[in-house]
DNA sequence: ATCATGTTCAACCATGCAGTTGAATATAAC
DNA sequence: GTTATATTCAACTGCATGGTTGAACATGAT
């Protein structure tokens, strides 16, 4: 897993339309026109979003006849998942250690 | 957890500088000038990055004297983590079900 | 061959973002 | 009060992004 992979994956996931597309693809493969249907967007816009998702490795497009079928690639999520899981645990244990050290309640920094 | 929270969190995580800042903050709280030191960036740039991180709920800034001390907030990661974990499991089991149905190997869609 | 369909590509526009610099603000030190 | 320090704010630049539209391309249908 390299730096720019995470950049692309997190960036791809930061857009609600793209997350909705992923949700939709989780129900099974679909063509682009089929995918763009529920969105108030042009066809080309959805195609671009799919480009972003594909570039991040989250979906795969297969040319089948004159249409292009998209399917999800869960493996790419693992990179992001691994990063998050590690950091969440790491940060939490770090902070707990600090709290124990200081003997302060964890919320004394809220504004 | 709401839509725009995820937008902000994923967007905040999509930048390598911001992830590096988070990594650094995991080692303990730090002031902004201290944080900006290792980066080839202006002070203001790092301050902006911290603004993004704060807006996403990932860090908290506390005014302490004339300096501003930043500390990490692991709780905000949970939203993203939850999203990812759910989808990863969901997608994977979905695809395994489809593969079993079709009886095809999982990589017959690679280009 | 022609036509319709699914998709991409290119050009364009508006907006947002990462970066800069310099001025402004707040607080500590003298 | 003056000066130095830590930070923000505002204005600006350059570039990426998300959106549009219309032309181009590939393929299936007639």
């Amino acid at each position: 897993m390299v730096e720019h992979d995470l950049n692309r994956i997190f960036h791809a996931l930061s857009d609600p339309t793209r997350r909705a597309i992923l949700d939709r693809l989780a129900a099974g493969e679909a063509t682009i026109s089929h995918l763009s249907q529920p969105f108030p967007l042009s066809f080309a816009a959805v195609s671009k979003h799919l480009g972003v998702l594909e570039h991040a490795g989250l979906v795969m497009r297969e040319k089948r006849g004159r249409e292009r079928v998209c399917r999800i690639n869960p493996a790419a999520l693992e990179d992001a998942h691994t990063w998050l899981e590690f950091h969440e645990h790491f940060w939490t244990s770090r902070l707990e250690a600090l709290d124990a050290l200081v003997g302060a309640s964890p919320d004394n920094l809220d504004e």
Side-chain angles (χ1 to χ4, degrees), chain A:
Chain A
M1 160 181 35
V2 248
E3 212 46 11
H4 61 265
D5 287 336
L6 280 178
N7 297 354
R8 286 201 275 257
I9 293 175
F10 280 133
H11 172 244
L13 294 178
S14 73
D15 185 283
T17 303
R18 287 194 286 265
R19 288 201 305 276
I21 290 175
L22 289 175
D23 275 334
R24 197 125 203 285
L25 281 179
E29 58 183 32
T31 69
I32 302 191
S33 49
H34 189 222
L35 279 171
S36 76
Q37 214 168 291
F39 297 104
L41 292 176
S42 74
F43 192 82
V46 174
S47 179
K48 277 194 193 176
H49 279 301
L50 281 169
V52 173
L53 290 167
E54 188 177 30
H55 196 228
L58 289 162
V59 311
M60 280 154 18
R61 279 193 274 195
E62 182 208 7
K63 205 171 172 182
R64 189 182 299 168
R66 77 183 141 184
E67 53 191 21
R68 201 163 275 263
V69 176
C70 308
R71 61 166 14 196
I72 232 164
N73 175 27
L77 269 199
E78 265 181 54
D79 286 356
H81 187 203
T82 301
W83 191 94
L84 276 179
E85 189 140 76
F86 172 77
H87 283 79
E88 196 181 357
H89 289 162
F90 184 61
W91 298 357
T92 304
S93 58
R94 266 318 218 146
L95 289 189
E96 277 167 0
L98 285 174
D99 285 341
L101 211 69
V102 180
S105 78
D107 52 342
N108 62 351
L109 275 177
D110 290 341
E111 286 230 309

